[in-house]
């Protein structure tokens, strides 16, 4: 067809959709929000309204954002407001010219729909979906649908491999130019359990290469990176990390600075909100980071317990099978270690308190937590065997010797110095001791509520804050004896934590004997 | 356990979490957004960060909102910013005292998770979920998971009944104190097809009671309420609607003012974004509104076509079965009419253009669109039979007689007057004719892209805007003859629509004969 018209209108020129950027200073994490006035000509002519997806473009860079329409108070005429994420991604300055248009259709979402209706997804489909997620084209609502359908119509092994590969391909990938590269990972859900610095120190002291990237806390009172930061700098970019590893054989740095499997961070954020831990996504999440990090041998710690992430031995065995099989497709060797997840490992919960446990074990202090020491030795022993530093069956002994001889402690200090200089963990200004209100046997510790006390006390933002636990399951405790101590930087936070603790006196369960 | 502490901290007082409300003027539809400064004491002491869910309370009324942390430019110290939805729901005034705390756990979401893992949901589970949705406790991310899992692990008939009942119970329910109450509904996806005013006029003129509530457009160029508003007021509250129905036997009002099945609006908004039309939700959506409206006999129009909502006869038969069976559980009698969904019904697409088609049919104009007239007669005929005004097989004839005799036209005018006075639909100031670029037979019309042209031209906000189509499938057209006309209020919008139309010359497919 052709067009016939007396006064032929011009097709909309580029400048038609141009607005002046204004930084709103709103933190929206990985979601892009933009704000336009209801009376804005672009809004009107494009027919935009609130919660529409729009394509925001500046100097050839584009991002899909959710639009919110605002009244005239927040913005001037001809202005568009942007939250922090699109502001930084588009590298805007105040007044930068920004174009707003309808986004191209999200083609890859048809694969998500097809999964909803029960079809398997191909490698190509996962690649298309993950590419769009990495480019910021999936809104929370889309991510939620993707995560939910992968949980509802579970991924088979081939699909897990497809998703893992797509996630690896979406980010950086490190080549260390040597082998083996050993690594460890804990599936989590247990407070404390800070074995990573011990395992890295032991394994590197025994001559293996272990370039460990760790995360910060998402919902827990401390991530390994938060704890390690009380002992040394952890925000090292890849070249600096490489230097440390080449010099010392190991490192413990924050993974966020290295940009491995960036879509994992996006998916995890939504999974936490939904509290959905589908096996397929858990496997792809763990293994994509390890494959991207160039690891060849991995020991996986799976704590099993009613208030841990993995709740039964059956579930642990199934997860272990999937992890091993998917890892195999990438030439990555995996051993899984099922461990006791019924109570915290070590005494401290919170960055500095956990660091002190780690130092006590490394230094061989008489009062060092025995459970943490033993658990680290088991994991390190397995890695020593996998990496060829010890024969099968000899790993634990070599690990124990490396630790007891002080070589692991020397190696740990050397790593801290190489990362920028060793630090002393801070101590909290305020403490409050929770005591037993009866005499009896400790028969239960609620990991989740104990972690909540530590967070209310200020962890992980206040590095010194958290909880120090004085009892273990099976111990006898007398009325008036300390059960745990709350550590806090500010009286207000201590009050919050204490308020919660007083309302939850059964966090440590005592059976009258 | 008990507490031992030298300086016993006070438990946080109520006033501790109190902030002063500021209206941000941000339109977030059914989602509540709140904004707090990063340095705000409540943020710090509660450990809140961006995208956390928070409970916002004012004078005993609470709402769950998504928190966004902002810099110091947007808010003063001690202030909390609120988007329009929570502002209105909590009935705030500038400076109102607002408390912010951690929301109670969303207990009903455990049912959503259980559905994800393949379990059936009980009536109780649907009731708990829908109650929480109605109270604004589900964020988009949660709604998306609920919708996705109901699509992935499809609802059986019992579950559809459970969901429908929960949705009915969450809103108002009308009792007309008489029977039968007849009703019609179109599953949609077809531009034009504005049979409702015709069916209501015919059926009411024949003595039946048809209190019709209709929706506004969500993604289409016009909803029945948008069209009807060009002919009479439609925003009638329940008492006014009742007066019209008692006087005239029928009405055509906007359902939004009547508050039937309010969760349906919340769910539909997310379903549209995801473009997921799961059968279970479609059935519950349609029937919950009809049951709540007090209907006893319902005729359902299911247009079938490649670019309509229902794409095959097989899918239509299955949907028809579910609708009939679920309706039976509520004592609602249903007949489904499968109709031609391959092309628009009538000539106009857009509120006023569709209204003119309706008037032409009612008045018996020689040029009235025959397809619209015939389709309305079929639907009205079925209703006349169901409601006992005609014997089976005689419905169409009675409908035709009622229309041809002018009694339907009289009744329609009376209804318009009763609703507040009849109006004349506006005419657009700008028109542009799209002509055929070749001679041949029209063999295809793309409903979706044609609707997009109408929307770009300004429909439904500009009541006069839209598209007038001059051809039908199977018609012969000569090069240079009009295929369709774009109507618009503003030259800018005309330019947008034209730009799109020129890039999509195959919206009307012409096969060279």
């Amino acid at each position: 067809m052709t067009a016939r018209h007396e006064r032929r209108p011009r097709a909309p020129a580029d400048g038609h959709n141009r607005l002046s950027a204004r930084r709103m200073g709103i933190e929206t994490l990985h979601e892009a929000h933009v704000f336009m006035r209801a009376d804005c000509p672009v809004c009107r002519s494009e027919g935009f309204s609130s919660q529409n997806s729009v394509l925001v473009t500046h100097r050839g860079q584009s991002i899909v954002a959710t639009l919110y329409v605002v009244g005239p108070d927040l913005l001037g005429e001809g202005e568009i407001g942007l939250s922090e994420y699109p502001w930084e991604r588009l590298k805007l300055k105040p007044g930068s010219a920004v174009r707003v248009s309808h986004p191209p259709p999200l083609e890859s979402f048809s694969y998500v729909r097809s999964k909803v209706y029960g079809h398997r997804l191909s490698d190509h489909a996962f690649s298309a979906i993950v590419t769009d997620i990495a480019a910021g084209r999936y809104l929370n609502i889309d991510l939620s649908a993707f995560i939910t359908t992968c949980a509802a119509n579970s991924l088979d092994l081939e699909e897990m491999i497809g998703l893992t590969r797509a996630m690896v391909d979406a980010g950086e990938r490190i080549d260390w130019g040597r082998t083996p590269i050993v690594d460890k990972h804990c599936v989590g859900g247990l407070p404390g359990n800070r074995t990573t610095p011990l395992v890295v120190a032991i394994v590197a002291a025994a001559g293996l290469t272990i370039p460990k990237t760790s995360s910060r806390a998402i919902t827990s009172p401390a991530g390994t990176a938060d704890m390690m930061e009380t002992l040394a700098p952890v925000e090292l970019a890849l070249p600096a990390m490489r230097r440390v590893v080449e010099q010392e054989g190991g490192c413990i740095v924050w993974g966020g600075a290295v940009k491995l499997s960036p879509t994992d961070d996006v998916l995890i954020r939504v999974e936490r909100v939904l509290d959905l831990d589908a096996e397929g996504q858990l496997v792809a999440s763990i293994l994509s980071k390890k494959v991207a990090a160039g690891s060849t041998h991995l020991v996986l710690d799976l704590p099993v317990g009613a208030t841990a992430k993995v709740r039964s031995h059956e579930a642990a065995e199934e997860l272990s099978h999937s992890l091993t099989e998917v890892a195999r497709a990438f030439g990555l060797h995996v051993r899984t270690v099922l461990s006791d997840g019924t109570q915290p490992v070590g005494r401290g919960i919170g960055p500095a308190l956990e660091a002190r446990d780690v130092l006590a074990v490394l230094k061989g202090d008489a009062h060092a937590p025995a459970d943490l020491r033993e658990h680290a030795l088991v994991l390190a022993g397995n890695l020593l065997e996998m990496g060829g530093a010890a024969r099968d069956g000899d790993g634990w002994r070599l690990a124990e010797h490396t630790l007891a001889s002080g070589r692991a402690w020397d190696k740990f200090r050397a790593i801290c110095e190489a990362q920028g200089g060793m630090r002393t963990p801070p101590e909290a200004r305020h403490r409050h001791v929770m005591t037993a209100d009866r005499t009896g046997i400790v028969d239960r510790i609620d990991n989740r509520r104990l972690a909540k006390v530590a967070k209310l006390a200020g962890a992980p933002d206040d590095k010194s804050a958290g909880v120090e636990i004085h009892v273990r399951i099976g111990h006898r405790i007398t009325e008036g004896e300390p059960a745990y101590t709350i550590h806090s930087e500010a009286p207000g936070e201590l009050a919050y934590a204490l308020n919660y603790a007083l309302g939850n006196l059964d966090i440590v369960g005592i059976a009258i004997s």
Side-chain angles (χ1 to χ4, degrees), chain A:
Chain A
M1 281 173 290
T2 53
R4 162 157 65 82
H5 194 274
E6 293 92 291
R7 292 167 302 156
R8 186 181 175 116
R10 282 180 307 125
D14 242 23
H16 207 86
N17 280 3
R18 197 158 283 181
L19 293 164
S20 166
R22 183 191 186 116
R23 184 176 196 158
M24 304 295 279
I26 300 176
E27 177 56 67
T28 50
L29 304 186
H30 285 85
E31 269 215 327
H33 290 195
V34 299
F35 304 86
M36 287 162 74
R37 281 168 59 146
D39 59 2
C40 156
V42 179
C43 247
R44 292 177 55 83
S45 64
E46 291 279 334
F48 290 144
S49 57
S50 270
Q51 295 205 352
N52 279 179
S53 292
V54 295
L55 188 73
V56 185
T57 307
H58 172 65
R59 295 199 175 166
Q61 289 286 312
S62 290
I63 192 167
V64 176
T66 305
L67 169 68
Y68 295 98
V69 170
V70 302
D73 291 350
L74 279 185
L75 296 171
E77 274 183 45
E79 279 191 330
I80 178 171
L82 297 101
S83 71
E84 293 299 282
Y85 180 63
W87 186 270
E88 278 158 21
R89 244 182 112 131
L90 295 177
K91 300 189 176 67
L92 297 176
K93 298 199 179 83
S96 288
V98 162
R99 254 185 315 124
V100 187
S101 53
H102 289 276
L106 192 58
E107 305 284 0
S108 72
F109 201 78
S110 64
Y111 296 119
V112 176
R113 263 181 235 114
S114 129
K115 184 75 190 161
V116 169
Y117 294 122
H119 304 286
R120 290 188 67 254
L121 292 188
S122 65
D123 284 10
H124 169 76
F126 280 116
S127 168
I129 292 168
V130 170
T131 301
D132 278 341
I133 293 174
R137 296 189 198 111
Y138 273 51
L139 306 177
N140 274 349
I141 212 168
D142 306 315
L143 292 167
S144 174
F146 176 58
I147 288 162
T148 303
T149 190
C150 289
N153 296 325
S154 12
L155 305 186
D156 61 29
L157 283 176
E158 283 302 310
E159 288 180 293
M160 289 187 205
I161 293 168
L163 176 56
T164 304
R165 180 168 292 126
M167 287 169 72
V168 170
D169 292 347
E172 305 283 335
R173 191 165 175 172
I174 309 178
D175 181 2
W176 294 98
R178 71 177 99 161
T179 180
I181 300 295
V182 302
D183 208 342
K184 79 146 285 250
H185 184 84
C186 176
V187 169
L190 207 58
N193 199 22
R194 200 54 64 203
T195 56
T196 292
L198 300 169
V199 171
V200 169
I202 294 167
V203 166
L208 295 180
T209 306
I210 181 161
K212 184 80 186 78
T213 59
S214 295
S215 55
R216 293 192 185 279
I218 302 177
T219 61
S220 74
T224 295
D226 300 312
M227 181 243 49
M228 188 64 191
E229 204 165 32
T230 70
L231 295 167
V234 294
E235 297 203 358
L236 277 67
L238 190 50
M241 172 185 172
R242 215 180 256 283
R243 266 198 310 279
V244 176
V245 173
E246 267 153 25
Q247 186 184 315
E248 301 297 340
C251 70
I252 304 148
V253 301
W254 177 49
V258 190
K259 291 180 184 148
L260 305 175
S261 190
T263 46
D264 186 42
D265 302 337
V266 179
L267 291 172
I268 278 184
R269 196 173 33 79
V270 177
E271 284 161 21
R272 301 269 165 166
V273 174
L274 297 176
D275 199 8
L276 276 181
D277 275 320
E279 185 179 286
Q281 255 129 2
L282 186 61
V283 168
S285 166
I286 294 169
L287 295 181
S288 65
K289 291 228 156 153
K290 299 306 173 189
V291 172
S295 308
T296 60
H297 295 77
L298 172 66
V299 65
L300 271 164
D301 180 15
L302 269 72
V304 183
T307 54
K309 192 176 233 168
V310 181
R311 304 197 182 187
S312 71
H313 264 82
E314 206 173 39
E317 294 290 355
E318 197 189 313
L319 180 58
S320 175
H321 173 73
S322 299
L323 284 161
T324 309
E325 289 302 308
V326 173
R328 192 201 305 277
F330 296 92
L332 171 60
H333 303 275
V334 169
R335 274 195 203 174
T336 48
V337 174
L338 272 53
S339 60
D340 173 20
T342 58
Q343 57 186 328
V345 174
R347 293 199 193 100
I349 302 172
L353 292 165
E354 293 174 20
R356 276 194 263 161
D357 280 354
V358 166
L359 293 178
V361 171
L362 285 169
K363 291 177 184 172
D365 283 359
H367 296 294
D371 57 340
L372 177 64
R373 182 178 197 269
E374 177 55 29
H375 192 36
L377 289 177
V378 169
L379 297 172
N382 272 287
L383 269 188
L384 292 172
E385 292 172 8
M386 293 175 82
R391 269 182 306 198
D392 275 9
D394 284 345
W396 186 90
R397 250 192 309 265
L398 175 57
E400 208 279 338
H401 180 70
T402 310
L403 181 62
S405 67
R407 284 171 51 218
W409 173 223
D410 293 342
K411 174 56 76 180
F412 186 76
R413 278 179 298 174
I415 288 172
C416 288
E417 291 304 330
Q419 287 190 192
M422 188 147 182
R423 299 166 175 170
T424 304
E427 285 195 44
R429 267 182 290 185
H430 302 271
R431 295 177 193 198
H432 186 94
V433 180
M434 297 293 293
T435 56
D437 60 349
R438 67 185 88 174
T439 297
I441 305 289
V442 174
D443 68 345
R444 203 169 18 80
I445 297 179
D446 189 318
N447 292 319
R448 289 167 198 238
R449 284 189 288 163
L450 201 55
K452 176 141 193 187
V453 175
K455 287 195 286 176
L456 288 171
D461 287 347
D462 291 339
K463 293 264 192 266
S464 66
V467 161
E468 194 185 351
I469 184 149
H470 309 298
V471 293
R472 291 189 59 71
I473 292 175
H475 280 198
R476 192 181 164 75
I477 192 166
T478 309
E479 186 182 339
E481 273 188 341
Y484 63 91
T485 303
I486 304 172
H487 292 239
S488 195
E489 273 304 295
E493 283 166 324
L494 184 57
Y496 273 101
L498 179 58
N499 204 36
Y500 181 81
L502 290 173
N504 289 270
L505 291 177
D506 59 337
I507 287 177
V508 174
I510 300 172
I512 292 170
S513 52

